Amino acid sequence: MTIKAINPATGETFASYQEMTDDGLRDAISKAHNEFLDWRRTGFSSRAGLMRQAAKVLRENAGKYADLMAREMGKPIRDGVAEVQKCAAACDYYADNAERFLAAEPIKTEARKSYVIFQPLGVVLAVMPWNFPFWQVFRFAAPGLMAGNGAVMKHSSNVPGCAVAIERVFQDAGFPKDLFRTLMISNAQVDAVLESPLVRAATLTGSGPAGRAVAGKAGSLLKKTVLELGGNDPYLVLEDADLDLAATVCARGRLINTGQSCIAAKRFIVVDKVHDRFVELFVKRMAAARMGDPLKQDTEIGPLARHDLRDTLHRQVESSIAKGARCVLGGEIPRGPGAYYPPTVLTKVTKGMPAYAEELFGPVASVIRVDNEDAAIAAANDSVFGLGGGVITGDIARGERVAAEIESGNVFVNDNVRSDPRLPFGGVKQSGYGRELSHYGIKEFVNIKTVVVG
């Protein structure tokens, strides 16, 4: 079997990769485990030196990696460069802080001595998505490797070149050759990876069904998982908001990565008093985004990553319109090649529509009109998801109070939700469990061991 790389801007296949055999898969896992047995005993200074070198490799090749992302999944090239630079920053962050995060913690008890130490678990499986093909990997790999673990990765099948390139980053940086391995395998082979006694845990970023499958299998084997799944992030626009700011923040939040982000703004819950003016300004901001060839520097909106994803999104839009939503911008598939979909705004969105309840993974905004702040909070929490959220208000204290009421893992006031190596990232409800990044993330895949001396 071969795995094909298809350019979503043209529909053309431009590269192919051979899928691993079952024997090759077992060999890769075994080699990663053997590398881990030595790696776990290396000092933090040695690990940090290699991680800083990985950051250097990333920065030196940012343009090449961005070009690859543009060709494989349609990310505008300037956004790809920024993504690679963010990966490098995460490598530096954990190189600088991992030793402090994992330092032994003394605890006073009746014993002569008692303390907690943090030890690596072993080889961790990472099942990664296509939408941020470098960042999603490095936000796991940088803390994971600095903690002393090994890693094997099953990347999304539409970004095989990115998967190979990421493995090469660590090799070029001087890490042990098999400590981080890309597994060029199908979804059907993931169970075999989890069943290996040499794989101790798993992390997945992706859809709810994929998360349930991996978590269910891992749970049957009593192996830990961390899941970062979908989102239907609400942005609340209150009546005291600066509406120019609100329109700018909301459009930027909706269009990040051509709308293909779990933490992209998706539902815009607007208080009645400012609804009409907000929509007017918001539509202008959305309409101004430049859609085009992802390889051009001035492109802001590229194609969706695959044609089937574009078609699914359009069906959700059409179904919502059929149920009473009003399309005030976009909503039509452009003529010509490529999986393009224009910035789209739906108003009069209500309960029972796909635009209200489902995750729309593309540049489609759902505007929900409410009477007041209490109704806005209720609408925000009327979702199976709980990943991110935003509050736009002229009163910062009010914004913080409302943020505390939103059921999600991240809430930003007067700004876009985004991940940051210094801050924990993750969700609640059907958006997953566990945390990545910060000192919380590096402790997800360690043995938190209590030692007591009598």
Side-chain angles (χ1 to χ4, degrees), residues 33 180 192 203 284 319 345 363 371 421:
H33 174 71
F180 181 100
T203 182
K284 288 181 180 178
S319 176
V345 178
D371 290 336

Side-chain angles (χ1 to χ4, degrees), residues 13 28 94 130 145 167 175 181 194 250 260 291 293 295 355 369 389 391:
T13 298
Y94 281 104
W130 49 261
L145 297 183
E167 180 183 79
F175 280 81
R181 288 296 305 272
L194 289 167
C250 291
Q260 302 169 112
M291 184 170 69
D293 183 349
L295 291 170
R369 191 172 198 151
V391 183

Side-chain angles (χ1 to χ4, degrees), residues 4 17 58 99 113 134 145 150 224 279 307 338 388 422 447:
K4 297 179 179 179
Y17 301 80
L58 286 163
E99 184 171 12
K113 191 176 184 182
F134 272 70
L145 297 183
K224 179 176 181 176
V279 169
H307 283 76
R422 299 166 293 184
N447 176 18

Side-chain angles (χ1 to χ4, degrees), residues 61-103:
N61 294 280
K64 180 176 72 173
Y65 300 145
D67 182 90
L68 182 58
M69 282 187 271
R71 295 180 188 279
E72 286 197 329
M73 50 72 62
K75 188 184 297 289
I77 195 161
R78 65 180 187 180
D79 294 340
V81 170
E83 179 173 332
V84 175
Q85 291 171 339
K86 187 173 183 178
C87 293
C91 290
D92 285 338
Y93 177 76
Y94 281 104
D96 292 343
N97 293 286
E99 184 171 12
R100 176 171 61 88
F101 289 161
L102 299 177

Side-chain angles (χ1 to χ4, degrees), residues 313-334:
L313 178 66
H314 189 54
R315 283 194 296 271
Q316 291 172 305
V317 169
E318 289 186 313
S319 176
S320 298
I321 293 171
K323 292 176 182 291
R326 182 185 174 209
C327 183
V328 296
L329 178 70
E332 295 183 358
I333 295 176

